[in-house]
Amino acid sequence: MHQRIPRSLRFRFFAALGGLLLCAIAALASISAWLIFPALQAEERATVKRELDRVERSFELDQQQLHSQVRDWAHWDDTYRFIQGEYPRYADVNFSQEMFEDMRYQLMAFFTASGDVHFLAGINPVTGDYQTCRAPIDDCSWMTPWVTNICRQPLPKTEPIRVAFTLTVLRQ
């Protein structure tokens, strides 16, 4: 059976309108694919790059601030004497929960020149209590992951005569 396509004015109008609609959709899709989407993607890439640069600058500033604070602690003669075992009151005089909170420190770790833990101090992230210890065990066991990670890092390359200890600070 052969069906005839109606040739009425209504059919021709809807066919022309349908063809025009398909052409308009194809034109919009082409314009979107070649003009709009690339422009949006370029803008998105630029925005992401700006945000990543901002985050990177923030990390660098935090790192510089921590480095300067660590350098301040590391160059003290009292700190050297503490590591040598000649200043037993050092921790009582220099550390407190208020100091850790003000400087936003989570953990401060002192290591001997050979890389052994000498002293640890920090604020327990679970309880919020300030704790000090000589090893990350018992009440200070929450420090173990950080101390283990720090110990995996290579020691700074400096002259052995001048290096008596390594100080590491972790920020909250």
Side-chain angles (χ1 to χ4, degrees):
M1 261 192 225
H2 188 279
Q3 271 197 327
R4 283 185 35 164
I5 300 174
R7 300 245 180 230
S8 69
L9 183 60
R10 183 185 313 164
F11 175 76
R12 286 186 289 173
F13 175 75
F14 284 128
L17 192 59
L20 184 62
L21 178 64
L22 289 175
C23 288
I25 290 173
L28 285 175
S30 298
I31 290 171
S32 294
W34 289 315
L35 296 176
I36 296 173
F37 288 144
L40 289 174
Q41 288 173 341
E43 179 65 28
E44 184 178 23
R45 275 192 297 279
T47 301
V48 167
K49 184 175 178 357
R50 279 193 310 271
E51 289 301 312
L52 287 175
D53 288 344
R54 186 182 61 78
V55 168
E56 186 177 347
R57 278 192 310 276
S58 174
F59 281 145
E60 286 174 1
L61 289 174
D62 279 350
Q63 184 180 19
Q64 289 171 359
Q65 183 182 10
L66 275 174
H67 185 68
S68 68
Q69 290 170 352
V70 165
R71 200 172 330 125
D72 288 346
W73 285 91
H75 289 297
W76 284 2
D77 291 337
D78 290 344
T79 306
Y80 179 83
R81 288 180 39 228
F82 171 64
I83 296 297
Q84 298 303 317
E86 299 170 4
Y87 190 179
R89 291 190 52 243
Y90 178 84
D92 298 331
V93 171
N94 289 289
F95 305 132
S96 68
Q97 181 157 354
E98 293 78 24
M99 187 236 16
F100 273 76
E101 289 170 352
D102 289 346
M103 297 180 95
R104 295 184 8 233
Y105 288 169
Q106 182 73 47
L107 171 70
M108 186 177 284
F110 289 86
F111 297 90
T112 63
S114 62
D116 298 324
V117 174
H118 179 74
F119 180 79
L120 300 167
I123 297 179
N124 186 326
V126 175
T127 64
D129 294 335
Y130 170 72
Q131 295 172 317
T132 62
C133 51
R134 298 281 177 179
I137 55 174
D138 298 330
D139 288 343
C140 294
S141 62
W142 62 270
M143 297 178 185
T144 302
W146 285 300
V147 171
T148 303
N149 191 32
I150 293 167
C151 289
R152 286 187 198 139
Q153 304 296 323
L155 289 174
K157 293 181 181 177
T158 56
E159 298 175 30
I161 298 169
R162 294 178 45 183
V163 176
F165 64 92
T166 302
L167 168 65
T168 302
V169 177
L170 296 176
R171 197 164 242 179
Q172 291 178 340

